[in-house]
C-alpha cells in the first residue's frame, strides 16, 4: 500500500501517547507544533513524491515480498538499478524540501537487517529472518514512517560498552522474559525521530563477547511505554516560532533527537538480533555503507539548492556573468557533482550478498562518497557566501520590510537590478542562509553515517595495501620472478568475510 | 579621557532620538533591548579592557594630539609597536567577548583619515587636516564609540555610482550649502552601528571624475535628523529573546546594520573629503589594509575560543589525548596561528606615510592576512565539529535540562566522563555552535574588509611581476648582460603613489 | 586479429623511413634507442595484456565490424559495460607499466570519429562514415598502434586559427587535389607518437566559418613523406641513458612529442572531416569527455603504484603501522579512489548518441573525473614524499651501491629494518621518485585531455543553473504557483544538441 | 674576514684528500666535477653576495666576537633585526641562484650551539661555551663554509638509538681518549656536504639517559680521516652531464649527501656536547625553529622564480592578462607571500634566551612558517604547470633546436607571440621545469627542518590548550568566578624551560 502525505500526517497525529519533548515542553501533536511542523512536512514529502508526476517513477518500486508496488523508502533493493534509483531519488527530494527528509535511516536499517538476517539464515539460524520478513511485510503493507536508531550516547568514548561507568551508555537487554526482552539505554542524534510511526534499533559498533547484552536489534512503535524522545535544537530553529513566512523558512526543516529506552518491553517477534555479537561488526559495516552512499544524493541535492540560490542572488546584483563569479559557480558545481558521482559509482558497482538477492553498495565508493561529503559542503557554503555577499549575514528582518515606517526605504536600498524586487532578494538570502549554515548541510555532513575517522578506518580496511606493494615491488624489479599481481580491487569488509 | 564601560553604556542609553529598528520595531533604548544588549556588552568590553589588569597596558596609549592617555581604539598609531599592539589587543578582546566587539572600523577610519587628510595637506590642501584634527580631539577627549561606514548598497554591481538607475545607490552629496552639505544614500553591513555615539562615513571605492558627488567623507552623531538604522539579523539571533542563559549565549554578540541617510545635513567642520575623487582610491586602499591587518588578531582570537571549546568537549568524552584528535587540534592551531602570524608581519613591516608619522601597515601582508582569514575559519569550524561530535547539531534545549520530568534522564545520558556534569557539556556545545557557525566567524571572515576578489586584485597590484620575470630571465640566461635585479619587495599601492 | 607485443615491436622496428628526432639526433630504430625503448615497452604492454591471464578478458572485445575478437584498444564501445571495462583496464595497465602506456588517445579518436561520422550520416552526409568504417576495419584487422593528434601548437593563444600571424599555427589544408588534400602545421604534446604505426589527426577546438580550412581530420602512417616527429624531454629522462638497472627505472616510460606536417599529402579515403566546421565543436566535446573519463583509470592506477611503493617504504623503516602513517595512507587511498569513482560513474551513466550505438560517457562525470585528476595527484605525491622521507630526494646512485670501496658502508647505513636489504629500499625509492614526480602523474594530470579551465567551462555549460535557480525560488516561495521543477540532471553539451 | 666567492672556490678545490663519491666514483676536485659544480656555484653565491651592490648590506654584519664585519652566514644574531635580515637575505639569494644555496644549516648550527653552550654556562658548566667561542672565532676569521649535520640514518624508526639492531644507526662516541673522542655512524640528507670546509654535527633528537653516548656534538674538517661523503641523486641531475646550456640549467643547483663517520677522531676542543643528554631536547628545538624560520625566505624566493618564469611564459603565448591567468597568478602570490609573512613574524617576535644575547626566533611562528612551506609549494608548482601549459612536460631538447635539419621547423612551431623567439620560450620552460619539480622546492619543502609531523607535535606543545579551555569555559559561564585568563601567547618549548 502507498500512503499519501496526508495519510502519513494523520497517522502520526493520532499517536498522542508518545512522550515527546521539545524546548522543555511535552508535545502531544507533532503535526501542529511550530518547532516540529517543518520536519513533518519534509517527512511528508517522501510520501507525496510517490504521487507527483516528476518523481512518481523514482519513488515507487515493486516489492516481491508483498507482490505490490511500495514506496521506495520501504523497498528492499533488487539490483544495482535500485541502488542508483535511491541516489537519484534523494537528490530530487532535496530539491523539494531543501532539507533532510529523514526517512533514509529507517530504509537503510531495513535493507541492512534483510541482509544480516538473511546471512544468519544461510549459516543455519533462520529465526531472525523469519521475524524480520514478517516485520518487513508489516512495514510495507502500512507504508510506515521509520526512524533508524543506531548511535548510542557512548559515555566515555574510549571504553567498550561493558566497561562503561554508566552501564546504560549503550542500549542493552536488562531482562530476558518468555515473551520478549526488556531494554534500557538511549540513542542519540536520531533523525526525524519525533515524526515516525516506529523506530528500528541497531547496535552501533562491533561488539565483543563481553558486550553480548549490547548486541541487540529490535523495532518498537514510538508510543511504546518507557520510550521518551527529546528533540534537539538546530541552528536558527527559534525563528520557526516567530510566525513570519520568510526568515524562518517555515516550509520544511528536519530534526534530530535523543530517544531514551527506560526499561522498554519488546516482544520476541520484534527482536532481530540478540546476543549474536559476532554479527554486530558486519551489520555496522553494511548499514554504514548504505547510508554513506545515500549522502551522494541528498547532499548534492542540497548543493543544487545552494547553487541555485547563489546564482539567483548573483542575478539580483547583475554579476551572474562576471568571470570570477562564473569561475566560483563552476567550482561549486564541480564539488557538488563529485559527491554525486561517487554515490553513483557506489551504486552501480553494488553486489549481491545473499543467494536470493541482498544487494549492497560498493563499500569503497560509498566511503569515498561520504568522505567527500564530510569535506566539500563547507567549501560550497564558503563559495556561496563569497558570491552572495555580506548581505547573507546582515539582511534585515522580514518584519522590517513589513513595517510601514521604513518599508519604502528598505525596498529602495535592498534592491539591486531594477527588475527584481527587494522582497525576492530577501527571500533568497534567507533560503541561502538557512540551508548553507544548517545542521543538515554542515554538521550532519561531517558526522552523519559516521565521522571522517570512521571512513579513514574503512579505507585502510578496504584497500589492499599488500597487493599495491606487490605491484610496486614488481615494477622496481625487486622480485623479477613475481607474476603480475591482480589489481587492488576494493574488497568486501573483512568482518563480513569471516562470517 | 578614558571612559569606563558603564560610562559608555550610559552614554548611548541617553541617545533616545536615534531612529533604530530591530526585527520590525523601533528601539529607543538599545542597552536593554534583548536583541541588541549582547552587542552593547561586546562594545562595552573595549572600554572595560582599559581598566582590567590583563589588558590595561595594551588597551591604553598616549596620544600626542591631546597629550594624555586614550583608549587605544581612538589612538593614531605612532609606530610599528602600535600596529602590533592593535593585533594583540584584538586577539585578547575576542577571548573576552567570543564575538566581534565592533569598534575597529571606526578606529581604522580615524587612522585612514589622519593619513589621507595629512597627505592632502602635504600636497597643499590643509583644510581637511585641520577639520579632522579637531574632530580627532573631540573623539579622543570624549572616548567616543564610533562606527565606520564604508560599504554602499551598490545597486547594480557592474555600474559605477553615477551610472546607477538609483542615484542613491552610493552615498552622495545632494545639496551644497553655506554651512555644510546634505547627503543621501545608505551604507550596508555597518558593524555595531546601533551601539555607537557617532558614525564616520568613507567612500567605498575609487571614484572617477563623473562620480565626484560620491567622493565624500564625513561624521555625524547617530541621532542626527534623517539618519535611520535598520539592524540586520544573524544566525541564531532569535535565541537571544528566549530568556534562557545557555542556548542563546546571551552574554555577548555583535550586530551589523543598514544606515540610511535620508537627506542628512552635515556641517562643514565634519566634512573630511568632498569632490576630491582622486583621493578616494588611496583612501580605500589605506583603510582596507588597516582593516585586513586587524582580522589577524580578532579572528585568531575567535579561533582560540573555538579551539578551547573543542578541547574541553574532547575532554568531556575522554578523547582529548587520542592521536587523531591531537592531530586535528594541531591542525586547528596551525590554521589559527597562520592568520595571526600574517597579521603580525603586516604590523611589524608597517611604514610611515606622512612626514610627521601616519603609520600604515604593510599592504601585502595585510592582504595575505585577510585572504587567509577568508579561507581558514571554515576549515577550523569543520574540524571543531568533527572533534566535538554530532551533538553540536542535536543537543537538547536548556529548557529540557530544567524540566523536572526528564532532567534526570538527560543528565544521565548527556554525560560523558563522570567528572563533568551534563550541563557543563551543554554549555560548551552551545558556545561552540554559536561561535563556529556565527556570522562573525564565517560570513564576516569572507566579506569583512573586502571580499576575497578584492584581495586578489591587490595581490596583482602589489606584486612586482616584471621584477620576478627579470629574475627568471636572468636565471635562464636569456639576457646574460642583465644585472641582478632587486628582490620583488612589496610595493606601495600604485594609486597612492600617483598622488 | 590480435597482435602480440612482439609483433607490435617488430612492426615499428621496420618503419625506418619515419623521420624521428630524439635529443637532437635522428633515430631509425625506436625499439633499441635507449631514450625511446621504455616507451616502446609500455606501448607493448597494451598488446601483451590481451594474452596475459589476469587481463585477457578485459583487454579483448568482440568487434561487430570485423566479426572477431580485437584488442580493446581498437574497439568501438558497445554499451556501458565497455565504457566501464575501459576504466578498469587502464587501471590495471598502469600497474603493469608504472607509466602512461600511450594507446588511449588513438582509441578515443576512433570512438569519437565513429560517433561524429555516424552523426553526419544521420544528417545526410554518409561519405565520411563510409571512409571511417573502412579505416576502422583496416585498424582492427591489423591491430594497429595509433596516436591521436589533437593539440595544435596554437601560436598566439588569444587569436583564432585564421587570425594567427603564423597561418600554420593550427594544422590546415593548404591544397585540395583530385586524389586528396595537402596539409601543413604541427600538433604538440602527442603521446607516444614515435612508437605508433599511424597517427589520427583531429581538430583541437570549435571552429568558425573563417577557420574552415582548419576543420580537418585524417589519418596517415608515421613514415608518410613530410611527417617529422621531434620527441620531447621528460623529467629524469637522461637517466635512461646511464645503463644502470635501478636509477633510470629503464623498464617502462612514456614520451610525448611534436609532430610536424610539412606539406603532407593525404588521400581522400583517409580524410574524415574537411571544411565541416560546424562539427568541430561536437567532435572536441565528445573526444574530450572520452579522454577525461579514461584518466579515472590510468591515473588511479599510477596512484596505486605510488601507494604501494610508499607502503613498502614505510615497512623498510618499520612505520607502516604508526597512526599518523596509517592516516596519511588512508588519505592517499581516498584521493585515489575518488578519481576512480568518478571515472566509473562517467562510464555507467554513459548514453547512446547514434541509433546503431555510438556509446558515449556521461560528460558531467567525465569532467568531474578529469578535474579531480587535475588536483589530487599533487596531493598524493606530497603525501608519498611525506611518508617515504627525505631519502626520496637524497638517495645515492645505484653506482655507489656497486662501488666496492663504499658498498659495505652504504649497505650498513641505507638499511632500515634488518629484514629488508638496502638495495630493495633504493629500488623502491627510485620507483617512487620516478613515478611521483613524473610528467605522467603531475603535468599530464593537469593538462592531458584539456587543462582545468576547459573543465570549468564544461561545468558551466553542462549544469542547468536555470533549473537550480527555479528550485531555489520555489523553496523560498518566490512564485508559489511554480510546479516542482525537474532535477538538474546533466545535459548533453549544447553544441552537440544543436546538430 | 670576508672571503670572495673565488676564494671560497679555491679553498675547497685544495681539499683533495676528502673522500667524496658521486655517481659511484671518487671525486678529488668538486669544483670541476660536472655533477657538483652547480652546487659549488650556488654556495659561492653566498660569498659573492657580500660584495654585490644589491645584497652587500644584507649579507654583512658586524660580529662582536671578532670585532669586525663578517659574512652574515657565520654571524650570531644580535637582535630581531638580524633575524629579519636573515629571512630577507635568503629570499634574495634564491633569486640569484634559483636553488638551495646550502649554507643555512651550518649557520643555524652555529647560532644553536651559541645558545645551548651559553645556557650550559649559565647553569655552571662553562667548558663547552669556551670551546665553542674559540671555534666561532676560527669560523668567522676564515669565513668558512660549513655544513650542519643533524639527521641520523635512524635504522628502525620506532626504536631509540640505544635500542637499534645497528648501534651505529645514530652517530655515537665509540671511544673516549685523553685527547678527544672517536665517533662512528652516519648523517643523512646533509645539504651541500661535498662543498664545505667543515661539518658541524648535532644530535638529531631528544635523548634519554640510555642514549648518552649518542648525545654528542662536534665539528671536523671534511678531509678528516675516516670521513666519507656519498652525494645523493636529485631529480633531473643527469642532465648536468650532457654539456648543454639550456636543458640542465647548469648554472646552479644544490646537492645533499650521506656523511659517514668511520671511527673518526675528534679532539676535545671541537667537542661541543658529550653525554649531556638532557640538553639534546632543547638543542633540537632551538635548531629546528631557526631552520624552519629560514624556509620562509628561501622557499618564497624560489616561489618568486617560479612566478616570474610562469608570468614570462604566459607572455610568450599572449595570455598574461587573461582573467583566469591573472587569478591563478594572484593565487600563487598569495601562497608565496603567506610563507614569507610567517617567516617575518617568527623573526620580529624573536626573543633573547641568554643574558648576553642569544636571540632566538619565535618557535610558534617558525613552525607555522615551515608547515606552510610543507604544503604550499606543491600548490604553487601545480598552478605554474597549469598556466605554463603542457609544454613543461613535452618540450624538445636544446639539441633539437641546434640541429640544422629541424631547427627552422622548431623555431616556427615553438614560437607563440612573434616578439619572443622560440629559444627564449624553451629556456623559460626548462627553468620552470627544473625549479618547480626540484628536490629543493618539493621534497625538501616537506622534509627539510623536520617533516610535517614534527611541526604538528610542536603545535601541540607550544599552544596552551588549557588557557584556551579556560577562555571557553569563562565565555560559556561554566565558572562565573573565573577571572579573565591571559591570552594563549606562544610559550617557550617545555624542554627548554625545564633546564
Amino acid at each position: 500500500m502507498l500512503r499519501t502525505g496526508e495519510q502519513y500526517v494523520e497517522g502520526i497525529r493520532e499517536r498522542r501517547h508518545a512522550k515527546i519533548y521539545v524546548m522543555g515542553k511535552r508535545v502531544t501533536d507533532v503535526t501542529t507544533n511550530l518547532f516540529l511542523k517543518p520536519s513533518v512536512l519534509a517527512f511528508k514529502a517522501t510520501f507525496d513524491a510517490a504521487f507527483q508526476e516528476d518523481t512518481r517513477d523514482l519513488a515507487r518500486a515493486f516489492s516481491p515480498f508483498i507482490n505490490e508496488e511500495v514506496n521506495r523508502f520501504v523497498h528492499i533493493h533488487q539490483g544495482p538499478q535500485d541502488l542508483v534509483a535511491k541516489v537519484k531519488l534523494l537528490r530530487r527530494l532535496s530539491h523539494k524540501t531543501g532539507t533532510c527528509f529523514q526517512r533514509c535511516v529507517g530504509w537503510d536499517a531495513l535493507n541492512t537487517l534483510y541482509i544480516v538476517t538473511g546471512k544468519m539464515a544461510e549459516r543455519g539460524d533462520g529465526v531472525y529472518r523469519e521475524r524480520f520478513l514478517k516485520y518487513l511485510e508489516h512495514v510495507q503493507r502500512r507504508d510506515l514512517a521509520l526512524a533508524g536508531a543506531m548511535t548510542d550516547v557512548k559515555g566515555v568514548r574510549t571504553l567498550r560498552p561493558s566497561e562503561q561507568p554508566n552501564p546504560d551508555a549503550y542500549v542493552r537487554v536488562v531482562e530476558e522474559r518468555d515473551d520478549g526482552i526488556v531494554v534500557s539505554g538511549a540513542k542519540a542524534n536520531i533523525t526525524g525521530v519525533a515524526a515516525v510511526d516506529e523506530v528500528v534499533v541497531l547496535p552501533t559498533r562491533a561488539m565483543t563477547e563481553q558486550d553480548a547484552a549490547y548486541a541487540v536489534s529490535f523495532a518498537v512503535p514510538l508510543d511504546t511505554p518507557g520510550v521518551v524522545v527529546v528533540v534537539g535544537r538546530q541552528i536558527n530553529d527559534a525563528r520557526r516560532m516567530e510566525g513570519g513566512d520568510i526568515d524562518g523558512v517555515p516550509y520544511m526543516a528536519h530534526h534530530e533527537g535523543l530517544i531514551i529506552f527506560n526499561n522498554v518491553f519488546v516482544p520476541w517477534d520484534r527482536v532481530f538480533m540478540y546476543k549474536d555479537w559476532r554479527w554486530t561488526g558486519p551489520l555496522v559495516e553494511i548499514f554504514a555503507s548504505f547510508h554513506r552512499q545515500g549522502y551522494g544524493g541528498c547532499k548534492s541535492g542540497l548543493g543544487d539548492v545552494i547553487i541555485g540560490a547563489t546564482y539567483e542572488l548573483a542575478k539580483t546584483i547583475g554579476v551572474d556573468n562576471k568571470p570570477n563569479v562564473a569561475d566560483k559557480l563552476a567550482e561549486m558545481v564541480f564539488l557538488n557533482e563529485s559527491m554525486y558521482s561517487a554515490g553513483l559509482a557506489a551504486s552501480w558497482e553494488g553486489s549481491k550478498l545473499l543467494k536470493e538477492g541482498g544487494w549492497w553498495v560498493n563499500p569503497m565508493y560509498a566511503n569515498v562518497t561520504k568522505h567527500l561529503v564530510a569535506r566539500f559542503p563547507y567549501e560550497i557554503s564558503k563559495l556561496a557566501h563569497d558570491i552572495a555577499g555580506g548581505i547573507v549575514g546582515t539582511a534585515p528582518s522580514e518584519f522590517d520590510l513589513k513595517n510601514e515606517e521604513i518599508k519604502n526605504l528598505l525596498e529602495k536600498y535592498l534592491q539591486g537590478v531594477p527588475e527584481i524586487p527587494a522582497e525576492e532578494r530577501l527571500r533568497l538570502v534567507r533560503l541561502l542562509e538557512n540551508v548553507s549554515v544548517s545542521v543538515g548541510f554542515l554538521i550532519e555532513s561531517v558526522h552523519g553515517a559516521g565521522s571522517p575517522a570512521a571512513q579513514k578506518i574503512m579505507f585502510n580496511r578496504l584497500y589492499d595495501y599488500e597487493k599495491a606493494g606487490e605491484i610496486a615491488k614488481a615494477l622496481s624489479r625487486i622480485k623479477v620472478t613475481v607474476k603480475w599481481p591482480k589489481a587492488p580491487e576494493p574488497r568486501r569488509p573483512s568482518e563480513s568475510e569471516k562470517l
Side-chain angles (χ1 to χ4, degrees), chain A residues 292-293 295-296 339 342-343 346 365-374:
Chain A
R292 288 168 194 177
Q293 166 232 19
Y295 273 27
M339 302 188 291
Y365 313 135
N367 277 281
V368 166
T369 306
K370 174 61 217 309
H371 213 61
L372 289 166
V373 167

Side-chain angles (χ1 to χ4, degrees), chain A residues 115-130:
Chain A
I115 291 171
V116 172
T117 59
K119 215 70 180 159
M120 289 162 107
E122 287 183 1
R123 304 294 161 92
D125 184 4
V127 61
Y128 294 119
R129 177 168 63 176
E130 202 177 318

Side-chain angles (χ1 to χ4, degrees), chain A residues 147-218:
Chain A
M150 189 171 224
T151 308
D152 290 280
V153 294
K154 290 182 188 165
V156 185
R157 215 51 66 92
T158 48
L159 301 178
R160 304 196 63 83
S162 54
E163 301 164 349
Q164 294 283 338
N166 169 11
D168 293 342
Y170 288 75
V171 170
R172 62 172 174 149
V173 179
V174 288
E175 187 189 346
E176 188 179 325
R177 292 173 21 186
D178 284 354
D179 50 352
I181 55 178
V182 178
V183 295
S184 187
K187 295 278 186 176
N189 312 339
I190 306 311
T191 302
V193 66
V196 296
D197 298 298
E198 304 203 3
V199 59
V200 180
V201 173
L202 305 174
T204 198
R205 57 175 292 176
M207 303 286 178
T208 60
E209 194 163 2
Q210 285 77 358
D211 306 319
Y214 297 88
V216 61
S217 169
F218 57 90

Side-chain angles (χ1 to χ4, degrees), chain A residues 45 52 54-55 87-101 251-252 297-308 336-337 340 431 435:
Chain A
Q52 290 165 328
D54 64 324
T55 42
V87 175
K88 294 190 171 180
L89 174 61
L90 302 195
R91 188 164 183 174
R92 290 200 180 202
L93 275 163
S94 285
H95 300 161
K96 297 196 177 200
T97 60
T99 188
C100 168
F101 26 92
Y251 195 60
M252 294 188 194
C298 62
K299 298 308 179 198
S300 64
L302 291 181
D304 291 325
V305 173
I306 290 172
I307 293 170
N336 204 44
E337 297 289 351
Y340 189 55
L431 176 69
V435 181

